[in-house]
Amino acid sequence: MNAAPHSPWFRPKSYGYGATPSTWQGWALVLGYVAAVVVLGMLTFGQEHTAPWIWAVFVAVVTVLTLGLLTISRRRTDGDWRWRWGNEQTQMKVKR
């Protein structure tokens, strides 16, 4: 049984490297990531006394969350991730 292809949640950026959300699912993923990092930071550093090893745990968890975000967004992008300088048709006119 063949699985249906995933619909894209992100589109390649016009300038720079990476992708930007293009559907509500993409925005939900990004906002969920930001909320998770903020809540984790508040729980970790909202204490009066924070143990030094907590920093390492915080960095490790944020790294895992970031890698997850990048993996999902890259798989759900309509196109490839590469450096872009804007509209490719405009670039072709300038180069001629």
Side-chain angles (χ1 to χ4, degrees), residues 20-93:
T20 187
S22 61
T23 65
W24 70 267
Q25 293 97 332
W27 283 107
L29 180 68
V30 171
L31 291 175
Y33 168 79
V34 170
V37 171
V38 168
V39 168
L40 182 64
M42 290 171 59
L43 291 174
T44 303
F45 303 113
Q47 311 297 329
E48 198 169 311
H49 300 288
T50 303
W53 58 270
I54 293 292
W55 286 91
V57 172
F58 176 77
V59 169
V61 172
V62 169
T63 300
V64 169
L65 289 173
T66 303
L67 290 174
L69 173 71
L70 291 174
T71 300
I72 294 170
S73 60
R74 193 165 201 163
R75 288 183 182 170
R76 290 294 191 131
T77 298
D78 184 25
D80 59 339
W81 281 22
R82 62 182 172 84
W83 188 264
R84 288 180 169 73
W85 290 98
N87 188 348
E88 292 178 1
Q89 292 176 349
T90 305
Q91 290 179 8
M92 295 302 286
K93 291 177 186 177

